[in-house]
Amino acid sequence: MGIMNFVPKVLDPVPGGKYVVNMVDYVVNWARANSLWPLTYGTSCCAIEMMSSSMARYDIARFGSEVFRDSPRQADLFIIAGTITEKMAPAVQMLWEQIPGPKYAIAMGACTISGGPFRYDNYSVVRGAEQVIPVDVYIPGCPPRPEALFNGLLKLREKIMKESYRNPWHEGETSKAGEIERWAEASKAWAAAEKIKDEEMAAAREAFKANPPEDYVAYKPVRVAKEAFPDVERPVVTEIGKSYKELYKIAKSVAPELSIFGKEDSSDETLDSLPKDLPLDVVVSKENYLKLVEFLKNDSRTKFEVLTDVVGVDWKDHFDVIAQLLSVEYGHKMFVRVSLPKDESIPEEKRATSLLASIPSLSSLFVGAELKEREVYDLFGIKFEGHPDLRRLFMPEDFVGYPLRKDFTHPHILKKPV
Amino acid sequence: MSNLPPGFREPSVEGEFEEYYLNMGPQHPSTHGALRLVIRLTGETIIEVVPHLGYIHRGMEKQAENLGYTQYIMMSDRQDYLTAIQNNLGVCLALEKGAGIGVPERAEYIRVIMTELGRIASHLVFYACYGGDLGGQTVLLYGFKEREMIHDIFEEVTGQRLTTNFFRPGGSRMDVPDTFIPRVKAFLAHLEKTLPDYDRLLTKNIALVERSVGVGKLTKEQALAYGCSGPVARASGVNYDVRKNDPYSIYSSLDFNVPVMYNGDCYDRYLIRWQEMYESIKIIKQCIEKFPAGPYRSKEKPNFKLPAGSFYAASETAKGLYGTYVVSTGGANPYRIHTRSPSFSNVSAVNAMAKGEKISDLVTILASIDPVIPEIDR
Ligand code: SF4
């Protein structure tokens, strides 16, 4: 901008110079407002609506913003579409800093306003984009419709049209106030406005009652009969592939200590009484876990070739790790569960940050187990012995604690007020 | 070995070129969201790709422990927003199993029609993005055109374009309007005319063929070992579709084929989605013919709760096997909900696909997996 900033200083004192400045402002603003080039950026759901708005039906080109730039250095509008997580926040900040000024930001969607659906009880979401970068326009919605995005764009244009070389663009500020205080303030203002509204409404109602119009007929609500819905039986299902009895027998031959999860005994009657639409869920000891899964994978009668998932459950006094197996050929499924007692030798104050149990890794059998086990390691703090690359998967390396444990606490969690 | 950055483990090869690393993402136009890949290269050839996840990890599973059961359906919308309606169904199937609720016939038909429409919408986005990532902006515009029509139907039925939040245990949130069936019929008639056009536009395109035939090979063994599912696995010769092999809803009474291909390259992954779209049209047509009258849901349960126990349901979304695992202790909130997301397993195979390919092929490979990152990170 440089030299242009002196234009008002020089011209304003000159008679008639004001009008020249106004005109220059108008032309510059008009040009800026009508060709906002957005950055191609999107993290989640809202990004799809942003894409829709640039496609044939909605055609953002009508508003001069069709030139989505892949590099922040060529963009001047940052549409923050999608949730910002704490891991992503530094990247968002860097992108903003790389955009040359004058630049503008539109916060699209509830997530970028307040955290949206992820506001409460959440340890990883940044509650609002203004915590990270200065925002010009907020668009509510989850996700906002493309029309809403256009509305936001037009609002931004209005804002740009108010700029002038007397009052040039400057970078706004991110929210410095603590989030709780801001919300407390906002809700106080809201309550005050509500009170005024209530009083006005009450007064209006009184006035109406005292002096109703002549053709006024009191409104009578119509009652719609409540629809009655039937109780529907679930269809009868049969086991797919091998029956539970067979599967159980085959597995038992490898691991004699095998038992059925949630059942006292493993007699034939119990096996017959298991619900047929749920997979067979067996509990095995930690020692035989790897051996059993390897056997089930290779045996021609079971052929569990796919490890669909590895799931952890925290039962307060112990962990369960469940390997979910699937046979593509036969179609049967099986859950192999290991119950892992928590390591009691770790002192109380260190428990939240240390690994409390360990289990052999399945990564030697299934390559795909690597990432899945890293997820369990990351979220539960369970060690996988023999895993080639045990690092955190979702949370940053320096994150403290294991989120899916039942006793997990984190300073960033905001409890839902009741 | 030891001085490699985390995640890399291939031994160094003595070659003509020096090895170097390239970072892709978390903000990159063709990573389809906040995915970060670190690529190890020699010259232009990829030695190894290491995915770094979690840039959109929103802690849904932890949050669900403080939500009611049916409130988690809303979360499932936001996992894979391209197949939101199918995720709704996946969650509902698990909840129904737990609570022992049946579904009336009409509700089943609504479910199948809606999810199959969702599948077409998702595959159209795949088609658009695949073309777009390979440099064909025109395709991008076409793919989204028909998808908007599906979203019009969704909007009329559910009230939302994207995050539908429609199904409930026992049926759906509300009945479909009378215009639903005629509208779907009209849409299918339109689609049957336009799809072949789009097919002609891109499928035999020389640039597309050259860039995707033989690129990003995934063998059947690899697909199984990585736990891939959906079109990615079926393009590698894994004949598994939950709708066929473990049928839920009324799929067992419908006549459709599961396309399987055997080359396992990007082109097959592209073609297989075309065939799936045609199969979906076939399914919807059968449903329209038999669309019954009757209640759209079974008896409502106020304060929806599950008995203590753990429940699992698998369903087939456009991306693959979507599994919901619910653990209940009998309370009002789930004790634990875990989602098995198809994209997670599919993306974990990106290293196997990209090894030995050129750097520009990585974009093709990623597009052919059609991952949705929030579903991976959850
Ligand atoms: S506001 Fe809603 S739709 Fe947008 S990113 Fe957040 S959760 Fe997704």
Side-chain angles (χ1 to χ4, degrees):
Chain A
M1 300 213 287
I3 196 163
M4 290 298 279
N5 282 353
F6 295 100
V7 168
K9 281 201 190 105
V10 176
L11 286 183
D12 269 347
V14 182
K18 276 215 286 283
Y19 301 106
V20 180
V21 177
N22 286 355
M23 206 155 78
V24 171
D25 279 345
Y26 183 81
V27 172
V28 170
N29 288 343
W30 175 84
R32 248 181 220 166
N34 283 290
S35 71
L36 288 165
W37 286 9
L39 172 70
T40 319
Y41 162 92
T43 56
S44 48
C45 348
C46 281
I48 294 293
E49 283 301 61
M50 186 180 80
M51 272 168 84
S52 297
S53 59
S54 67
M55 295 301 155
R57 163 84 67 92
Y58 293 102
D59 193 10
I60 205 170
R62 294 178 292 155
F63 303 91
S65 300
E66 79 278 22
V67 198
F68 274 86
R69 296 279 83 183
D70 297 339
S71 158
R73 307 200 190 274
Q74 298 162 350
D76 48 11
L77 172 61
F78 193 174
I79 303 179
I80 314 157
T83 324
I84 302 176
T85 60
E86 270 161 36
K87 194 168 176 181
M88 189 69 187
V92 172
Q93 211 154 25
M94 191 191 280
L95 284 170
W96 174 251
E97 276 157 15
Q98 283 175 350
I99 301 177
K103 54 189 170 184
Y104 307 93
I106 292 182
M108 181 178 183
C111 280
T112 48
I113 296 176
S114 64
F118 309 102
R119 180 171 171 79
Y120 295 115
D121 306 316
N122 204 303
Y123 53 87
S124 67
V125 167
V126 174
R127 296 187 203 93
E130 84 274 19
Q131 312 273 327
V132 186
I133 62 171
V135 176
D136 293 287
V137 177
Y138 296 86
I139 309 171
C142 186
R145 298 179 55 92
E147 290 93 331
L149 179 60
F150 296 150
N151 189 16
L153 215 53
L154 293 179
K155 281 270 177 309
L156 182 61
R157 271 198 201 182
E158 275 173 35
K159 184 172 177 175
I160 295 174
M161 289 308 280
K162 284 182 196 143
E163 274 172 16
S164 149
Y165 282 112
R166 302 190 187 96
N167 164 32
W169 175 89
H170 60 276
E171 184 159 347
E173 297 221 334
T174 51
S175 154
K176 289 264 159 49
E179 178 193 22
I180 311 287
E181 293 96 82
R182 268 186 308 117
W183 279 82
E185 249 169 57
S187 44
K188 242 187 243 160
W190 176 260
E194 279 284 294
K195 205 171 153 222
I196 294 172
K197 189 203 79 188
D198 283 350
E199 282 164 10
E200 281 174 3
M201 286 296 284
R205 245 180 251 126
E206 285 301 314
F208 189 85
K209 253 189 216 158
N211 191 12
E214 256 155 41
D215 53 350
Y216 172 67
V217 186
Y219 166 74
K220 243 196 220 140
V222 186
R223 285 205 191 283
V224 180
K226 209 164 177 232
E227 248 180 296
F229 297 109
D231 249 334
V232 183
E233 286 289 306
R234 282 187 71 72
V236 184
V237 283
T238 47
E239 291 143 325
I240 299 166
K242 293 264 182 313
S243 75
Y244 292 163
K245 249 185 261 172
E246 274 176 86
L247 285 178
Y248 187 78
K249 243 177 239 143
I250 294 168
K252 185 106 178 167
S253 66
V254 186
E257 78 284 7
L258 203 73
S259 62
I260 304 169
F261 176 66
K263 296 277 184 249
E264 306 282 273
D265 63 329
S266 55
S267 59
D268 281 0
E269 292 87 66
T270 320
L271 280 162
D272 277 334
S273 71
L274 289 175
K276 299 281 177 280
D277 50 1
L278 295 176
L280 180 64
D281 195 341
V282 294
V283 188
V284 72
S285 70
K286 188 170 139 185
E287 289 71 39
N288 278 339
Y289 171 61
L290 196 60
K291 200 169 107 199
L292 175 63
V293 175
E294 183 169 13
F295 177 79
L296 290 174
K297 182 189 172 200
N298 295 331
D299 193 87
S300 63
R301 290 165 298 173
T302 48
K303 275 208 173 171
F304 284 111
E305 292 158 309
V306 181
L307 176 75
T308 46
D309 216 342
V310 180
V311 184
V313 180
D314 179 5
W315 291 105
K316 302 219 170 98
D317 57 338
H318 67 277
F319 292 116
D320 270 2
V321 170
I322 308 154
Q324 306 186 340
L325 299 169
L326 167 75
S327 164
V328 166
E329 191 166 329
Y330 299 113
H332 47 225
K333 294 186 220 116
M334 191 161 170
F335 289 1
V336 179
R337 183 187 289 261
V338 186
S339 170
L340 301 168
K342 290 190 180 174
D343 189 350
E344 294 299 333
S345 64
I346 294 167
E348 192 58 41
E349 65 277 8
K350 282 205 191 127
R351 291 182 77 81
T353 53
S354 27
L355 305 175
L356 287 182
S358 75
I359 181 174
S361 163
L362 294 181
S363 51
S364 55
L365 300 175
F366 305 94
V367 225
E370 269 182 36
L371 284 189
K372 286 161 191 150
E373 286 178 344
R374 270 175 68 189
E375 180 191 330
V376 178
Y377 162 79
D378 184 2
L379 303 179
F380 284 94
I382 297 172
K383 189 172 171 219
F384 287 85
E385 291 150 14
H387 192 288
D389 178 27
L390 202 58
R391 283 176 295 128
R392 276 189 179 268
L393 182 67
F394 294 148
M395 307 313 297
E397 275 303 326
D398 53 1
F399 188 81
V400 183
Y402 298 98
L404 280 185
R405 283 191 192 166
K406 284 288 169 185
D407 51 4
F408 171 76
T409 52
H410 194 265
H412 290 184
I413 290 183
L414 192 61
K415 276 269 159 263
K416 193 169 191 166
V418 259
Chain B
M1 176 96 191
S2 59
N3 51 10
L4 291 174
F8 292 96
R9 59 184 85 126
E10 290 284 314
S12 305
V13 273
E14 280 302 313
E16 197 181 338
F17 305 107
E18 216 181 306
E19 272 179 23
Y20 65 102
Y21 296 88
L22 202 64
N23 179 55
M24 184 169 168
Q27 156 55 30
H28 188 279
S30 56
T31 53
H32 294 231
L35 173 67
R36 179 170 161 227
L37 301 172
V38 181
I39 311 156
R40 183 167 159 217
L41 297 149
T42 155
E44 265 198 57
T45 312
I46 298 171
I47 304 178
E48 236 178 333
V49 181
V50 173
H52 287 246
L53 306 174
Y55 284 90
I56 188 69
H57 174 66
R58 298 187 274 192
M60 285 183 187
E61 286 173 9
K62 182 75 182 177
Q63 225 185 322
E65 291 170 10
N66 292 309
L67 296 174
Y69 284 99
T70 43
Q71 283 174 313
Y72 187 70
I73 300 172
M74 171 284 256
M75 288 279 165
S76 74
D77 281 331
R78 281 140 186 91
Q79 287 169 354
D80 182 351
Y81 33 80
L82 293 177
T83 59
I85 195 124
Q86 300 167 27
N87 294 4
N88 292 170
L89 182 58
V91 176
C92 286
L93 287 175
L95 296 182
E96 276 159 14
K97 273 186 193 175
I101 303 175
V103 183
E105 213 191 348
R106 182 181 170 93
E108 296 279 27
Y109 277 87
I110 297 175
R111 284 183 171 187
V112 171
I113 296 179
M114 292 291 276
T115 48
E116 292 306 319
L117 281 176
R119 194 181 311 277
I120 297 176
S122 172
H123 284 345
L124 279 172
V125 174
F126 160 78
Y127 164 77
C129 292
Y130 193 67
D133 281 348
L134 293 188
Q137 277 287 326
T138 331
V139 180
L140 205 56
L141 298 174
Y142 278 123
F144 269 77
K145 194 171 134 243
E146 262 61 36
R147 175 182 171 272
E148 288 296 340
M149 296 178 188
I150 295 179
H151 280 283
D152 286 346
I153 298 176
F154 277 9
E155 194 175 3
E156 189 181 9
V157 175
T158 73
Q160 256 287 16
R161 285 159 47 82
L162 203 64
T163 44
T164 45
N165 191 6
F166 185 54
F167 298 132
R168 290 287 177 277
S172 50
R173 189 149 52 85
M174 47 197 161
D175 204 357
V176 291
D178 297 342
T179 49
F180 178 61
I181 292 298
R183 208 166 170 175
V184 174
K185 259 191 205 158
F187 169 69
L188 285 191
H190 171 81
L191 195 67
E192 281 190 321
K193 256 189 268 146
T194 46
L195 273 191
D197 274 354
Y198 295 173
D199 206 347
R200 271 209 306 281
L201 177 67
L202 192 62
T203 308
K204 298 270 163 60
N205 182 308
I206 184 77
L208 178 110
V209 173
E210 296 266 306
R211 280 194 67 182
S212 46
V213 172
V215 170
K217 284 235 178 207
L218 189 72
T219 62
K220 184 175 177 185
E221 286 69 39
Q222 281 172 329
L224 290 173
Y226 278 104
C228 295
S229 55
V232 174
R234 287 196 286 274
S236 298
V238 180
N239 187 355
Y240 190 84
D241 186 320
V242 187
R243 292 176 294 169
K244 212 47 164 197
N245 300 52
D246 184 6
Y248 54 95
S249 198
I250 47 164
Y251 279 109
S252 49
S253 68
L254 296 169
D255 169 36
F256 65 100
N257 301 324
V258 176
V260 181
M261 296 197 140
Y262 297 92
N263 290 332
D265 57 2
C266 291
Y267 196 56
D268 273 12
R269 289 195 278 277
Y270 167 83
L271 288 180
I272 212 149
R273 287 182 173 100
W274 270 108
Q275 297 184 17
E276 281 189 14
M277 274 197 263
Y278 289 124
E279 290 302 323
S280 289
I281 295 178
K282 216 163 100 187
I283 294 175
I284 300 174
K285 275 193 173 160
Q286 293 171 38
C287 290
I288 289 178
E289 233 146 69
K290 294 191 242 164
F291 196 69
Y296 63 90
R297 63 168 302 155
S298 56
K299 200 167 178 184
E300 260 178 287
K301 285 219 166 89
N303 306 331
F304 188 88
K305 268 185 203 166
L306 293 190
S310 46
F311 310 99
Y312 177 84
S315 62
E316 183 85 15
T317 71
K319 307 280 150 52
L321 193 159
Y322 180 90
T324 310
Y325 183 65
V326 189
V327 181
S328 158
T329 49
N333 305 338
Y335 190 76
R336 167 130 170 76
I337 285 196
H338 176 81
T339 296
R340 189 266 179 206
S341 64
S343 295
F344 188 22
S345 305
N346 292 352
V347 161
S348 68
V350 71
N351 185 24
M353 294 183 202
K355 208 174 272 183
E357 302 287 356
K358 297 279 180 273
I359 172 82
S360 55
D361 292 335
L362 187 60
V363 173
T364 323
I365 292 169
L366 261 185
S368 76
I369 301 175
D370 191 19
V372 169
I373 313 304
E375 185 190 39
I376 300 175
D377 294 350
R378 294 185 298 276

